[in-house]
Amino acid sequence: MKITDGALMELATAADGSFRDGLSLLDQVINYADGEVTEDLVSQVLGLTGVKTLSKFVDLLIENKTQEAVNFISELMYAGRDLYQFEKDLLEYLRKILLAKVGTISDFGFTAEIQQKINDQANLMSLPRLTKIIQIFQKAEGEIKWAVVQSLPLELAAVEATSELGTQTRVHKESAEVTKQSDPEK
């Protein structure tokens, strides 16, 4: 049986250090494989969110694209994805960005392309913004289990992570301009 590096990484991540769980997950995926085991097949069979999907979502957060981020969550929901699993996977992905940002770990065992993407995303966010986004989505994780509309806590988190942080930046710039106008020497 052929298996891609991306598929192996997804299985290892899902097994969370347990050899027995890893074998069990691999067995599940092999039952659905028709030839090669790919990252997409592993994600589909196990209900995981692929790293590329998480990366795209984080890009929307970085760029403060509120509407696109909310639509992204809706598309996951309508595609039958487990939003609770997406939330867990997102927090783990954000954790890796945080570790890359503070320089604790530079190699997470991903392909070079994905590792570079994580480092690029870490460089695009300030540490306070990154920690705020993590806090926002961590709060959403606690709410998603009990929400009547399961996507709502994630959608609210996406709105808060994109618009509030963008507003804070705009307010800071505007207050600096007002200060400059009121005191021309500044």
Side-chain angles (χ1 to χ4, degrees):
M1 170 116 343
K2 288 185 176 182
I3 187 165
T4 66
D5 289 344
L8 287 172
M9 179 49 73
E10 290 292 329
L11 285 166
T13 302
D16 196 30
S18 169
F19 181 75
R20 194 176 304 175
D21 288 351
L23 285 175
S24 174
L25 295 172
L26 177 61
D27 190 42
Q28 288 177 42
V29 173
I30 287 174
N31 287 330
Y32 289 94
D34 188 25
E36 185 176 43
V37 176
T38 63
E39 183 179 346
D40 290 337
L41 179 65
V42 171
S43 296
Q44 184 179 8
V45 170
L46 301 179
L48 303 174
T49 309
V51 174
K52 291 178 184 175
T53 302
L54 295 167
S55 172
K56 287 177 191 175
F57 184 70
V58 170
D59 282 341
L60 296 174
L61 298 178
I62 290 170
E63 297 167 13
N64 285 332
K65 293 187 175 180
T66 305
Q67 183 178 4
E68 291 90 337
V70 172
N71 287 341
F72 193 95
I73 293 165
S74 295
E75 288 170 11
L76 288 175
M77 184 182 72
Y78 291 122
R81 295 299 194 136
D82 180 349
L83 294 182
Y84 182 70
Q85 185 64 48
F86 169 75
E87 173 67 15
K88 285 176 49 182
D89 294 341
L90 176 62
L91 284 171
E92 182 58 34
Y93 186 81
L94 289 169
R95 178 182 164 271
K96 286 177 174 55
I97 293 173
L98 176 67
L99 294 175
K101 181 75 177 169
V102 299
T104 305
I105 297 177
S106 60
D107 182 16
F108 298 102
F110 289 124
T111 62
E113 175 189 354
I114 293 171
Q115 185 61 48
Q116 184 60 49
K117 183 67 176 176
I118 289 172
N119 289 332
D120 291 346
Q121 288 174 324
N123 290 331
L124 288 171
M125 286 189 277
S126 68
L127 190 56
R129 176 153 192 225
L130 178 57
T131 56
K132 181 68 174 169
I133 289 172
I134 291 170
Q135 290 168 349
I136 289 168
F137 281 96
Q138 203 164 16
K139 179 181 170 206
E141 182 187 21
E143 297 170 355
I144 198 169
K145 291 180 189 177
W146 312 110
V148 175
V149 179
Q150 191 182 30
S151 63
L152 189 57
L154 286 174
E155 292 163 342
L156 289 171
V159 169
E160 185 179 353
T162 54
S163 50
E164 179 184 309
L165 294 169
T167 302
Q168 287 176 351
T169 303
R170 284 191 297 273
V171 167
H172 180 69
K173 286 180 182 176
E174 289 170 6
S175 67
E177 288 176 20
V178 168
T179 304
K180 205 184 248 185
Q181 291 171 359
S182 65
D183 187 3
E185 291 186 20
K186 285 190 177 181

